């Protein structure tokens, strides 16, 4: 793949359109003479500019079933990529300076799948937490309704969270039996109950208070959300938290989603200008 030059997000040239055309038509080696870039961002390990790397990346891991079916395999074979792929993503993310990964592993709607597939996934999650309990300094936590999960899986989650809570590396959050609508609904009910009981006043309700009632209250909102598999929707994932996140959709199925695909997503993020409702022009 040819080299790709990325303009860091914080660098803009409002002087005139002529300057932009000059930059776009100039060789990357010449651009350094203008003093706008500190390093070349190529499609290799120097590609990602640390200053402009998203600190929190959310991933909708989609395409496992289609990957398996396209190869005439049982759908379970596609799901088996969960642990190795997330290990690889964690390793690459640490190298790139990403601090938090939130992975959508099982939604509240996924219970509608066949019992055979759901049972397989529950066993797969048990193995996942057993392996991540001792994986590379990663801190692991889980959001979503745990009470509906098998008891053995619940215990595995608790043990992994306890064993990794002191790790200072990347923070991996797994969304299991999670739904954004349900999370917002339970947050609303909790706040309403506190108002009814006189613990807070109606005037106290604001964004910060609401966010403290969400399952994700310990983490900052994602800077970037990646969905693999080609679909272009959020599927009830982090509906409140993704209000200003950058969206990246790739046709790459999750079993094929590796280091190069992740870097492509980071490249796309670095070329965007995040205004959060404001403007700089």
């Amino acid at each position: 793949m040819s080299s790709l030059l990325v303009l860091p997000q914080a660098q803009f040239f409002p002087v005139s359109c002529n300057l932009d055309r000059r930059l776009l038509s100039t060789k990357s080696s010449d651009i350094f003479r203008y003093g706008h870039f500190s390093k070349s961002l190529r499609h290799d390990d120097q590609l990602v500019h640390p200053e402009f790397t998203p600190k929190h990346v959310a991933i909708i891991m989609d395409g496992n079933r289609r990957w398996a079916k396209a190869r005439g395999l049982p759908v379970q074979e596609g799901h088996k990529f969960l642990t190795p792929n997330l290990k690889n993503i964690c390793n690459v993310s640490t190298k790139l300076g990403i601090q938090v990964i939130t992975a959508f592993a099982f939604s509240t709607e996924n219970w509608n799948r066949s019992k055979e597939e759901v049972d397989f996934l529950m066993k797969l999650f048990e193995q996942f937490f057993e392996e991540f309990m001792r994986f590379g300094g990663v801190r692991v936590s889980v959001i979503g309704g745990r009470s509906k999960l098998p008891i053995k899986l619940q215990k595995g989650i608790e043990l992994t969270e306890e064993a990794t809570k002191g790790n200072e590396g990347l923070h991996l959050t797994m969304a299991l039996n999670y739904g954004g609508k349900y999370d917002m609904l339970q947050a609303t009910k909790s706040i309403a109950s506190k108002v009814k009981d006189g613990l807070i006043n109606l005037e106290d309700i604001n964004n910060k208070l609401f966010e403290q009632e969400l399952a994700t209250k310990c983490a900052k909102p994602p800077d970037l959300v990646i969905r693999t598999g080609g679909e272009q929707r959020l599927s009830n994932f982090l509906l409140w938290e993704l209000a200003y996140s950058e969206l990246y959709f790739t046709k790459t199925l999750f079993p094929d989603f590796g280091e190069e695909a992740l870097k492509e997503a980071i490249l796309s993020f670095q070329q965007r200008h995040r205004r959060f409702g404001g403007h700089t022009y």
Side-chain angles (χ1 to χ4, degrees):
M1 184 175 293
S2 60
S3 297
L4 180 60
L5 181 67
V6 181
L7 301 182
Q9 294 174 351
Q11 305 288 349
F12 291 95
F13 310 96
V15 182
S16 72
C17 293
N18 292 331
L19 178 57
D20 291 337
R21 294 192 193 100
R22 180 179 63 174
L23 288 171
L24 292 173
S25 63
T26 304
K27 295 185 298 182
S28 61
S29 58
D30 292 333
I31 291 177
F32 287 93
R33 291 203 286 270
Y34 295 120
H36 298 302
F37 303 113
S38 60
K39 63 186 283 190
S40 176
L41 303 181
R42 301 187 308 275
H43 196 255
D44 56 23
D45 286 342
Q46 278 72 50
L47 169 144
V48 176
H49 195 298
E51 185 178 354
F52 304 107
T53 298
K55 301 307 177 187
H56 184 176
V57 175
I59 303 178
I60 302 174
M61 305 179 292
D62 194 21
N64 294 336
R65 293 159 56 93
R66 279 171 284 156
W67 183 93
K69 288 182 178 180
R71 290 159 176 77
L73 300 171
V75 296
Q76 290 86 341
E77 295 303 312
H79 291 315
K80 288 180 180 179
F81 284 87
L82 171 72
T83 300
N85 273 23
L86 276 180
K87 282 184 175 181
N88 185 43
I89 288 170
C90 287
N91 285 332
V92 175
S93 296
T94 298
K95 182 170 61 175
L96 297 179
I98 297 168
Q99 299 172 356
V100 181
I101 294 289
T102 299
F104 201 8
F106 192 87
S107 75
T108 49
E109 292 75 30
N110 287 154
W111 295 105
N112 295 324
R113 296 184 177 182
S114 70
K115 184 178 184 303
E116 180 184 8
E117 184 176 358
V118 169
D119 288 346
F120 176 84
L121 286 169
M122 294 301 118
K123 293 291 184 182
L124 188 67
F125 295 145
E126 289 176 14
Q127 297 169 10
F128 171 87
F129 288 108
E130 185 176 343
E131 291 196 36
F132 266 79
M133 194 182 303
R134 298 174 294 275
F135 176 65
V138 172
R139 179 161 67 96
V140 181
S141 59
V142 172
I143 58 173
R146 302 188 190 187
S147 61
K148 194 173 180 179
L149 301 176
I151 297 299
K152 186 177 180 180
L153 177 54
Q154 292 183 44
K155 291 181 178 178
I157 291 171
E158 292 173 4
L159 289 172
T160 302
E161 288 182 327
E162 180 64 25
T164 65
K165 67 180 182 181
N167 291 348
E168 298 181 353
L170 180 141
H171 182 192
L172 173 64
T173 300
M174 296 291 286
L176 284 177
N177 191 29
Y178 174 86
K181 288 184 178 180
Y182 174 81
D183 196 26
M184 294 169 68
L185 182 61
Q186 66 82 25
T188 303
K189 288 181 177 179
S190 177
I191 292 173
S193 179
K194 290 179 180 180
V195 172
K196 180 181 177 181
D197 295 339
L199 299 176
I200 59 174
N201 297 317
L202 188 64
E203 295 75 18
D204 296 329
I205 302 174
N206 54 29
N207 285 349
K208 185 176 180 180
L209 178 65
F210 189 80
E211 287 166 358
Q212 286 300 309
E213 297 292 340
L214 295 171
T216 55
K217 59 186 176 182
C218 293
K220 293 182 179 180
D223 302 299
L224 171 67
V225 57
I226 300 169
R227 178 165 187 150
T228 65
E231 303 292 353
Q232 298 185 25
R233 55 178 177 266
L234 297 179
S235 296
N236 200 19
F237 183 47
L238 301 178
L239 298 182
W240 175 278
E241 294 85 351
L242 298 184
Y244 283 102
S245 301
E246 296 296 319
L247 309 181
Y248 179 83
F249 303 104
T250 174
K251 293 182 180 180
T252 302
L253 305 177
F254 185 69
D256 296 324
F257 189 83
E259 181 171 356
E260 292 305 309
L262 178 57
K263 287 181 177 179
E264 290 282 0
I266 304 304
L267 264 179
S268 175
F269 175 85
Q270 291 190 333
Q271 295 178 82
R272 305 182 189 188
H273 178 201
R274 306 184 74 197
R275 293 185 291 270
F276 300 98
H279 65 80
T280 58
Y281 51 84

